[in-house]
Amino acid sequence: MANSIEHRLLVMSGKGGVGKSSIAVNLAVWLARQGKQVGLLDVDIHGPSIPKLLGLEGARLQAGDDGIEPLAFDRALKAVSIGLMLNNPNEAVIWRGPMKHNLIQQFVENVCWGALDYLVVDCPPGTGDEALSTVQVLGAIDGVLIVTTPQDLAVLDVRKCVTFCKQLSLPVLGVIENMSGFVCPHCLKRTDVFAGTGAERIAADFNVPHLGSIPLDPALALACDAGKPFMDFAADSPTAQALAHAFGRMPNEPKRQIETKENHQMKIAIPLAGGRLSAHFGHCEQFALVSVDPESKIITEQVLLNPPPHEPGVLPKWLAEQGATAIIAGGMGQRAQRLFADNNIEVIVGAPAETPEELVSNYLAGALKTGENICDH
Ligand code: ADP
């Protein structure tokens, strides 16, 4: 199956019901109407909304010779959702993390997406299993669009979303405030239904763009219920224009996750055996991933990770997905060094069998003693 996906965008929110799926659908339609080929992936496994929002309820995904065929909304937009697999819309999916991870992996790797300019991913609310699996499976994320509503309760959870993005070095494209005031269709007076200015506060506190505000609009709710994307259904309305304006303010060339890493935390990976650096990084027991604040050069966190089974080329990609920016190793072959470099991971070889703390502290102080690259093969 030859998939090529140019840009991967996530739509996230801290809370349910803030209009994240509605915005994800309208973003996908807006991109499609700009002449882009777009895939819309619904990874909200417990509450899939995309089939309903695209009027695809009752349709089913089919397996083709090469994998799962996404459902075509039209020639420019295809969608995949677990809601397009369930026999009964009332069926509850009761799954634990690993099953959800496998499904998300299949949705990315076993779906015949073909050549896409954009894959828009509608994440479930919050920062749980699905969001993490999606980030791991997609690898490079070009940007995350965050949806909030104005009130404090939503803002509290959306802040966690922004922190999640920062911790995983995901570029935040900006925040959209939805349900931001209601303009009475009769007297045209605006009423702020929810107190607060959620997006503005998040934007200021986290230094991310506030892309725009979308009013509460009964026509949008009706369009959602009728399965008609609002950008098609009422393209000239002020609300559709507010959506288009907000989408149009997203950075044109979203930066890849890898390119923005240096703005965020340094994460140094160290292969371990018995709690000390293992000279054989390909067959080590565990990796320590040590996070360092790049400005203060202080170690902020250390986690131990179990690597996937050894296979050539797997570790550089896996460590890149974990957010590693450097690896301190004993010995490493030239090919592996190239693969790490391709994944933007700096390689330091010839380090001694010390503990992760000793190695990272010495490295940060410019005092790491490196010897021979002892298993260069
Ligand atoms: P989420 O994905 O955050 O759970 P949804 O996109 O499913 O939220 O939206 C929740 C409900 O709110 C839907 O019924 C939708 O039609 C409605 N809705 C979303 N945004 C607006 C809006 N700006 N004006 C009116 N109704 C909206």
Side-chain angles (χ1 to χ4, degrees):
M1 177 188 346
N3 284 337
S4 79
I5 302 174
E6 191 69 24
H7 297 292
R8 299 158 171 87
L9 306 182
L10 303 191
V11 183
M12 292 185 77
S13 71
K15 265 224 170 329
V18 299
K20 169 191 50 62
S21 297
S22 311
I23 296 220
V25 163
N26 282 292
L27 170 63
V29 170
W30 180 78
L31 288 166
R33 300 303 167 252
Q34 319 268 311
K36 308 294 182 197
Q37 283 298 318
V38 184
L40 180 56
L41 173 58
D42 182 2
V43 294
D44 193 342
I45 292 169
H46 301 290
S49 307
I50 298 302
K52 167 88 180 156
L53 291 168
L54 286 179
L56 294 174
E57 278 177 305
R60 289 286 162 270
L61 293 173
Q62 303 293 334
D65 291 342
D66 291 331
I68 305 165
E69 293 292 339
L71 266 177
F73 174 73
D74 59 24
R75 288 175 57 183
L77 176 59
K78 334 175 190 189
V80 163
S81 162
I82 193 169
L84 298 169
M85 296 169 77
L86 303 175
N87 290 327
N88 170 357
N90 299 326
E91 202 173 317
V93 178
I94 305 168
W95 285 359
R96 288 191 190 279
M99 285 174 77
K100 295 193 248 183
H101 182 89
N102 288 345
L103 182 79
I104 292 170
Q105 191 156 22
Q106 289 205 13
F107 277 172
V108 174
E109 292 171 6
N110 298 350
V111 167
C112 306
W113 288 108
L116 293 182
D117 296 305
Y118 287 90
L119 180 67
V120 176
V121 184
D122 182 19
C123 289
T127 54
D129 287 342
E130 292 89 329
L132 198 55
S133 292
T134 305
V135 171
Q136 284 175 350
V137 169
L138 284 177
I141 310 279
D142 294 272
V144 182
L145 179 63
I146 304 218
V147 182
T148 187
T149 46
Q151 73 271 43
D152 280 355
L153 263 184
V155 170
L156 252 174
D157 287 345
V158 169
R159 298 173 86 89
K160 292 182 192 144
C161 250
V162 183
T163 306
F164 170 89
C165 294
K166 298 250 172 196
Q167 281 180 348
L168 295 178
S169 304
L170 306 176
V172 176
L173 299 175
V175 185
I176 292 187
E177 182 169 292
N178 190 27
M179 307 190 186
S180 176
F182 172 71
V183 180
C184 170
H186 308 294
C187 67
L188 299 181
K189 185 171 178 289
R190 181 189 158 111
T191 306
D192 286 322
V193 181
F194 304 115
T197 49
E200 257 170 46
R201 270 185 292 148
I202 294 169
D205 291 352
F206 289 92
N207 195 22
V208 295
H210 172 199
L211 298 171
S213 300
I214 316 302
L216 257 173
D217 184 340
L220 195 151
L222 280 175
C224 290
D225 283 354
K228 295 182 179 169
F230 197 66
M231 296 305 283
D232 278 346
F233 181 66
D236 295 332
S237 68
T239 302
Q241 282 172 11
L243 281 163
H245 175 74
F247 298 149
R249 294 192 60 215
M250 293 191 316
N252 265 343
E253 300 289 341
K255 288 204 167 41
R256 292 231 170 242
Q257 177 180 354
I258 260 160
E259 288 166 3
T260 62
K261 268 184 188 164
E262 58 199 2
N263 301 333
H264 304 296
Q265 284 206 323
M266 292 162 72
K267 287 194 180 176
I268 303 176
I270 296 160
L272 294 183
R276 294 179 168 269
L277 179 137
S278 155
H280 303 283
F281 89 97
H283 298 276
C284 68
E285 294 163 11
Q286 278 186 317
F287 274 87
L289 195 59
V290 183
S291 302
V292 177
D293 180 74
E295 268 160 39
S296 62
K297 298 276 192 297
I298 288 173
I299 295 177
T300 52
E301 192 187 19
Q302 180 182 319
V303 289
L304 294 177
L305 303 170
N306 294 321
H310 181 63
E311 256 183 68
V314 151
L315 286 174
K317 183 168 177 274
W318 174 73
L319 281 172
E321 285 165 10
Q322 309 307 316
T325 53
I327 175 168
I328 299 181
M332 191 185 294
Q334 291 299 329
R335 184 170 169 272
Q337 290 193 34
R338 256 200 319 276
L339 287 173
F340 277 106
D342 288 345
N343 282 282
N344 257 18
I345 297 177
E346 185 192 343
V347 179
I348 301 113
V349 288
E354 292 177 347
T355 63
E357 295 86 326
E358 289 168 330
L359 291 165
V360 172
S361 305
N362 286 337
Y363 171 67
L364 294 171
L368 181 66
K369 291 202 174 60
T370 50
E372 249 187 282
N373 184 359
I374 36 185
C375 72
D376 193 7
H377 56 264

